[in-house]
Amino acid sequence: MVLRVLNKMKPQREFGSRLDKEGVGTLHSRPPLERMVRIHQALQSGKFPNASTLAREIEVATKTIHRDIEFMRDRLGLPIEFNPARNGYAYTEEVSAFPNLQITEGELFALIVAEKALQQYRGTSFEKPILSAIRKMEQSLPDTISLNLADIEQTISFRTRAEPILNLDIFDLLARAAARRQQVELAYRKPGQPQPEKRLVDPYHLANINGEWYLFAYDHARQDIRTFVPSRVQSAKPTGKTFVRPEKFSLEKRLRDSFGVRSGEGDYEVVIQFNARAADYVREKKWHESQQLYELKGGRVELRMKLSSLMEVERWVLSWGGDAKVIKPRELAAAVKQAAHRMLYPE
């Protein structure tokens, strides 16, 4: 379904709003479509208007006119060129009418979902670039469209069970250091560690995995890649040195045999059986790339995986309570048994 812009239609869903510095939506005095139509009319007049004269007439900034002309030329395919001799813009060939902007219902729906998905990036250094990209997309849309989307906003949301607490200045520094290949000195405190320790690292990659942020970096003291949790970084400062990230580094390959973010040197065949009460929940998700599911009698199911570490899968098994039973390996079964005993009989 394609939605055509109706310039004078009564608004049912307004998309011309933008976010000001405080994040509050405000309407521009000259909506994008209205501005471009007026620019089109000025170009058709043959008077060779320039950005300054158009800005005064439309009452917007000169850079806004430049952006509108660029959009008209590159996205709408209008034959606009600047004539140095006349110090103004003109059509290089006849244009009978301003083209209709079109957007599919699916594209508009996706834009709304993207705005809501921003909730998981609130407060991080990614929020502003994503908002900027969405604003640019909104600038290409009309202020009104012929579709009522009021109900859609009430039917989609994003929630996280436990939102990580981040020092935004440190997180921003880590993100920039990873992008610019800058070596960083961290004061990093592990859980249970009384004082932070200095770690000299080359930050390779920041990843959000299952709602949690992780920094994958080369640790110079350990001479290996280590996984850091940004919320545990007490302080961070660039050393002034840069690094070259190895071409062979691949987060996908690194995490291929892990159950989350912890990769190890082991090679474990993990077999877990779930009773009928939990079986449907297990069937509904893909828990690991290597997983194989086998149906058992009585509505039970068996999950098989190949992992390099047992730390994270142990916690996952415990989260199922008595609905999960470890068949292999023995060390995983023993670890789960000991943890369950500690829960019942704490020290």
Side-chain angles (χ1 to χ4, degrees), residues 1-39:
M1 174 182 176
V2 175
L3 307 177
R4 288 188 176 273
V5 175
L6 302 181
N7 209 14
K8 296 184 180 180
M9 177 170 290
K10 181 179 179 181
Q12 293 180 334
R13 159 69 175 166
E14 294 189 349
F15 242 85
S17 61
R18 315 285 167 76
L19 295 177
D20 58 22
K21 293 181 179 179
E22 291 75 32
V24 179
T26 57
L27 284 175
H28 279 276
S29 58
R30 298 293 181 186
L33 182 60
E34 181 182 335
R35 291 198 309 265
M36 286 186 277
V37 169
R38 291 190 60 177
I39 293 171

Side-chain angles (χ1 to χ4, degrees), residues 258-271:
S258 72
F259 194 69
V261 297
R262 306 294 179 186
S263 56
E265 301 298 327
D267 184 12
Y268 302 98
E269 181 184 5
V270 176
V271 181

Side-chain angles (χ1 to χ4, degrees), residues 90-116:
Y91 282 138
T92 57
E93 57 187 74
E94 184 178 353
V95 177
S96 59
F98 188 80
N100 285 329
L101 293 176
Q102 295 183 345
I103 182 171
T104 66
E105 182 178 354
E107 289 168 340
L108 185 57
F109 186 86
L111 184 58
I112 296 172
V113 172
E115 287 183 306
K116 288 186 172 291

Side-chain angles (χ1 to χ4, degrees), residues 62-81:
T62 304
K63 64 180 181 180
T64 301
I65 298 298
H66 284 300
R67 185 173 62 241
D68 290 343
I69 290 177
E70 181 180 352
F71 181 88
M72 293 168 66
R73 182 182 60 240
D74 299 339
R75 298 287 297 279
L76 301 183
L78 292 171
I80 304 174
E81 283 189 5

